[in-house]
Amino acid sequence: MKKGLVLEGGGMRGLFSEGFLDVMLEAGIKVDGMIGVSAGALFGCNFKSHQPGRGLRYNIRFKDDPRYMGWRSFLRTGNFVNAKFAYHTMPMELDVFDIPAFEADPTEFHLVCTDIETGEPVYRQINHVEDETLEWFRATGSMPIVSTPVEIEGRKLLDGGMIDCIPLKYFQSIGYEQNIVILTRPKGYKKSPSSMAPLFRLFYLRHPKVAWCMKHRHEMYNTELAYIEEQTQRGNILAVYPDHPLDIGRTELNEKKLRDIYQHGQEKACAMLDEVRAFLQEK
């Protein structure tokens, strides 16, 4: 039975997941594969590359660097998170992503994007890291409106969280029957309809599927949460939730908040470490 990790996104809330994963990494806990959406993939890749704390480190290091993210980047390039600096210069030159370690680790790594022309999810397994691969990472983390679509293999892609926020069903469909699901919202959270639906319709006149996805995103998300509850009751997954709402915006770079959320993930993992080991040893 293949055992996996499913990582929700949520921008900087993803540091909770990284803190949790870093404790697992340092404890020597392994899985067969992992799948991440948006920040889940961007922070989760450091688990496979064996680089604990990397996501926290570079966000603190570059938090005041205008090349990294901000409205200046958006006005110049159409991307709030600077495409070249954040997804190419930084991981290849400044806080180097350990490509040899990533490729040598046998853990399968998958991510999710959204095709803005069809409104369908696009799932991609990442085996090797190069310039084109880094564009897949950019695509899964490209939030609508504040990001330009990423064109790869004839598709126009944006954030995978638009259509599949918690891709547990997909991971099960490819053979991962026993999964740890790390969420970035506390247990009991329910998503409300977006008040920005008219803006999405206006902004994406040529791509109406984007507006449709965002209008119905709360329904998709809440359905996925209900499925997680069902699968938890059946013993197929171990769901990990923060103990309280994570007080940070998706692109916020307040250092204290970044550290606090990462630390909360670490503390949660330490408290659940025996439970994680026991779950992965079952069956």
Side-chain angles (χ1 to χ4, degrees), residues 188-219:
Y189 173 83
K190 292 291 186 292
K191 187 174 287 296
S192 301
S194 172
S195 60
M196 295 178 64
L199 180 60
F200 286 112
R201 286 199 301 272
L202 179 63
F203 200 87
Y204 289 101
L205 288 174
R206 295 184 179 181
H207 298 99
K209 293 292 185 179
V210 173
W212 186 93
C213 286
M214 299 308 292
K215 179 180 179 180
H216 296 280
R217 186 168 179 259
H218 68 290
E219 299 167 2

Side-chain angles (χ1 to χ4, degrees), residues 208-265:
K209 293 292 185 179
V210 173
W212 186 93
C213 286
M214 299 308 292
K215 179 180 179 180
H216 296 280
R217 186 168 179 259
H218 68 290
E219 299 167 2
M220 172 270 294
Y221 186 80
N222 293 335
T223 298
E224 291 185 334
L225 289 178
Y227 184 69
I228 285 170
E229 284 292 321
E230 174 197 320
Q231 291 296 295
T232 299
Q233 293 299 318
R234 293 187 177 188
N236 295 330
I237 71 167
L238 176 64
V240 176
Y241 301 88
D243 292 333
H244 51 74
L246 300 178
D247 180 26
I248 195 166
R250 286 179 174 271
T251 58
E252 187 173 337
L253 291 171
N254 178 289
E255 182 173 345
K256 184 179 186 306
K257 290 185 177 183
L258 297 176
R259 292 188 182 278
D260 286 349
I261 288 170
Y262 176 79
Q263 182 178 350
H264 181 37

Side-chain angles (χ1 to χ4, degrees), residues 24-67:
M24 288 180 58
L25 181 64
E26 291 168 358
I29 297 174
K30 300 178 180 180
V31 293
D32 300 304
M34 58 195 303
I35 187 167
V37 180
S38 193
L42 300 178
F43 291 129
C45 63
N46 298 310
F47 180 80
K48 181 172 163 63
S49 69
H50 298 214
Q51 293 178 283
R54 180 173 173 269
L56 176 66
R57 182 177 65 242
Y58 69 67
N59 274 291
I60 290 174
R61 178 181 173 185
F62 298 113
K63 64 184 179 66
D64 298 318
D65 192 322
R67 296 174 298 171

Side-chain angles (χ1 to χ4, degrees), residues 10-249:
M12 291 304 167
R13 297 198 312 270
L15 284 172
F16 169 81
S17 305
E18 184 180 52
F20 197 98
L21 291 174
D22 284 352
V23 171
M24 288 180 58
L25 181 64
E26 291 168 358
I29 297 174
K30 300 178 180 180
V31 293
D32 300 304
M34 58 195 303
I35 187 167
V37 180
S38 193
L42 300 178
F43 291 129
C45 63
N46 298 310
F47 180 80
K48 181 172 163 63
S49 69
H50 298 214
Q51 293 178 283
R54 180 173 173 269
L56 176 66
R57 182 177 65 242
Y58 69 67
N59 274 291
I60 290 174
R61 178 181 173 185
F62 298 113
K63 64 184 179 66
D64 298 318
D65 192 322
R67 296 174 298 171
Y68 184 35
M69 68 168 73
W71 293 113
R72 179 178 175 182
S73 172
F74 178 71
L75 292 173
R76 283 186 169 186
T77 70
N79 292 289
F80 188 87
V81 179
N82 188 279
K84 182 177 180 181
F85 182 84
Y87 293 100
H88 293 274
T89 304
M90 187 272 290
M92 300 303 285
E93 300 175 18
L94 302 176
D95 194 314
V96 177
F97 183 61
D98 194 336
I99 295 173
F102 180 91
E103 294 181 350
D105 187 288
T107 308
E108 287 188 5
F109 187 88
H110 302 250
L111 52 74
V112 190
C113 305
T114 301
D115 186 319
I116 66 170
E117 294 182 324
T118 67
E120 296 294 324
V122 178
Y123 304 98
R124 179 76 173 196
Q125 182 175 346
I126 304 296
N127 298 313
H128 306 289
V129 179
E130 52 195 4
D131 278 346
E132 182 176 337
T133 308
L134 293 171
E135 287 294 278
W136 282 99
F137 281 98
R138 180 163 77 94
T140 191
S142 290
M143 297 178 291
I145 295 183
V146 295
S147 308
T148 57
V150 182
E151 298 191 29
I152 310 175
E153 298 178 358
R155 295 187 176 104
K156 294 180 179 179
L157 306 174
L158 284 175
D159 192 328
M162 293 166 54
I163 193 61
D164 194 355
C165 290
I166 313 166
L168 173 60
K169 281 189 176 181
Y170 171 77
F171 222 37
Q172 290 174 328
S173 76
I174 62 170
Y176 286 88
E177 299 177 22
Q178 193 173 3
N179 294 286
I180 297 172
V181 181
I182 304 181
L183 300 116
T184 60
R185 298 285 194 181
K187 189 174 177 62
Y189 173 83
K190 292 291 186 292
K191 187 174 287 296
S192 301
S194 172
S195 60
M196 295 178 64
L199 180 60
F200 286 112
R201 286 199 301 272
L202 179 63
F203 200 87
Y204 289 101
L205 288 174
R206 295 184 179 181
H207 298 99
K209 293 292 185 179
V210 173
W212 186 93
C213 286
M214 299 308 292
K215 179 180 179 180
H216 296 280
R217 186 168 179 259
H218 68 290
E219 299 167 2
M220 172 270 294
Y221 186 80
N222 293 335
T223 298
E224 291 185 334
L225 289 178
Y227 184 69
I228 285 170
E229 284 292 321
E230 174 197 320
Q231 291 296 295
T232 299
Q233 293 299 318
R234 293 187 177 188
N236 295 330
I237 71 167
L238 176 64
V240 176
Y241 301 88
D243 292 333
H244 51 74
L246 300 178
D247 180 26
I248 195 166

